[in-house]
Amino acid sequence: MDKILQFLNYNKFPLVTKLTDINSASVHSSPIKLQVYVFAKADDLKSLLEPLEDIARNFKGKIMFTAVDIADEDLAKPFLTLFGLEESKNTVVTAFDNKAISKFLLESDLTPSNIEEFCSRLLHGTLTPYLKSQPIPDNTNANVQIVVGKTFDDLVLNSHKDVLLEVYTPWCVTCETTSKQIEKLAKHFKGLDNLVIAKIDASANEHPKLQVEEYPTLLFYPAGDKANPIKVSARSSSKNIAAFIKEQLKEKDQSPKDEQWKEKDQAPKDEL
């Protein structure tokens, strides 16, 4: 009986399930942990259904295939937001490993052969998880360096400099105040070769080494120990954060010349 029930549970859905408000709960609770979602316009889904069914037949009981009308914001947008593609109008093929809590995006041409290879690699665990990233910005004249998912390694983890990083989100109520403090600090410490002050939008960028649960979060990455960033209270005043940075620099004998410190310490009171 157990084996029969398990078989039914794994095979109760059609080859390709059209996601609706009615079946969404049962789709999300499917025991099949590997799931492929195809987001497309309703007319495009009709033409995609047959080739998708042919592909799904080869993975029946192992991968669940779900089709979603990309124009249905209530059903499509929560998924697409996970990939930073919430504004997309074109066909998107994604996958989830709900056991490993990983997500994947098909970034090659949406041909049946590419989709089938994508599914095969999902099944065998050889896909690289997808992490959101904004386009790489131009930081040439920026006091506060903008970090994105694609540059987190180079600008933070692999940098030979100390890095103070603000992690924020656009919807965070107190993030704007902290961002203003960071701007003041960046101006105050401008010109120090061994210090980088930066920020990253956690809503649009991801990195496996950046796990933050509250916003804003301030992290100080020491030059010699990037694996153990120091959390700095975002409620601290600019002066207290500046004092913390100076102490960190002095401890590693990275402090600038005395006259430069003197000049900085004599900054107007309202600067920090």
Side-chain angles (χ1 to χ4, degrees), residues 24-194:
S24 60
S26 57
V27 169
H28 299 332
S29 62
S30 169
I32 302 176
K33 300 305 180 184
L34 299 179
Q35 301 184 359
V36 170
Y37 281 75
V38 179
F39 301 87
K41 297 176 183 176
D43 291 341
D44 292 335
L45 283 177
K46 291 179 182 179
S47 60
L48 284 170
L49 184 59
E50 187 174 342
L52 278 176
E53 287 180 337
D54 290 338
I55 295 170
R57 193 170 285 110
N58 297 326
F59 301 95
K60 188 168 177 59
K62 298 176 181 178
I63 297 177
M64 183 172 178
F65 288 76
T66 304
V68 187
D69 183 354
I70 201 168
D72 189 331
E73 288 197 0
D74 291 339
L75 293 176
K77 197 166 186 177
F79 289 100
L80 293 174
T81 299
L82 297 174
F83 296 85
L85 299 172
E86 56 270 24
E87 302 302 325
S88 179
K89 304 298 180 184
N90 300 318
T91 300
V92 176
V93 176
T94 69
F96 297 88
D97 181 343
N98 290 333
K99 186 175 182 179
I101 316 179
S102 299
K103 63 181 184 293
F104 310 90
L105 176 68
L106 176 58
E107 299 185 76
S108 56
D109 294 335
L110 301 181
T111 62
S113 60
N114 283 344
I115 295 175
E116 185 163 8
E117 181 186 2
F118 179 72
C119 295
S120 179
R121 292 183 61 195
L122 172 68
L123 182 62
H124 292 95
T126 59
L127 284 178
T128 301
Y130 179 81
L131 299 172
K132 289 191 295 185
S133 177
Q134 293 174 303
I136 297 176
D138 181 6
N139 283 320
T140 305
N141 298 315
N143 290 327
V144 177
Q145 300 288 294
I146 298 175
V147 177
V148 297
K150 294 177 181 178
T151 62
F152 189 85
D153 282 326
D154 289 339
L155 296 183
V156 180
L157 298 183
N158 298 333
S159 170
H160 297 299
K161 303 178 181 182
D162 292 309
V163 179
L164 178 67
L165 179 69
E166 175 198 4
V167 187
Y168 72 97
T169 62
W171 59 77
C172 166
V173 177
T174 58
C175 284
E176 184 177 353
T177 300
T178 302
S179 293
K180 290 180 179 178
Q181 286 183 311
I182 295 301
E183 288 284 351
K184 289 181 180 179
L185 287 165
K187 292 177 180 178
H188 183 68
F189 289 103
K190 187 175 182 179
L192 299 187
D193 294 334
N194 293 319

Side-chain angles (χ1 to χ4, degrees), residues 1-13 31-32 60:
M1 183 184 295
D2 289 341
K3 289 184 178 180
I4 292 173
L5 289 174
Q6 184 182 39
F7 174 83
L8 290 174
N9 210 18
Y10 274 74
N11 292 275
K12 63 184 178 182
F13 293 101
I32 302 176
K60 188 168 177 59

Side-chain angles (χ1 to χ4, degrees), residues 189-216:
F189 289 103
K190 187 175 182 179
L192 299 187
D193 294 334
N194 293 319
L195 175 67
V196 172
I197 295 180
K199 63 181 180 180
I200 184 170
D201 180 355
S203 71
N205 300 281
E206 297 173 323
H207 191 279
K209 295 291 180 67
L210 183 66
Q211 302 297 325
V212 173
E213 297 180 353
E214 60 181 11
Y215 307 100

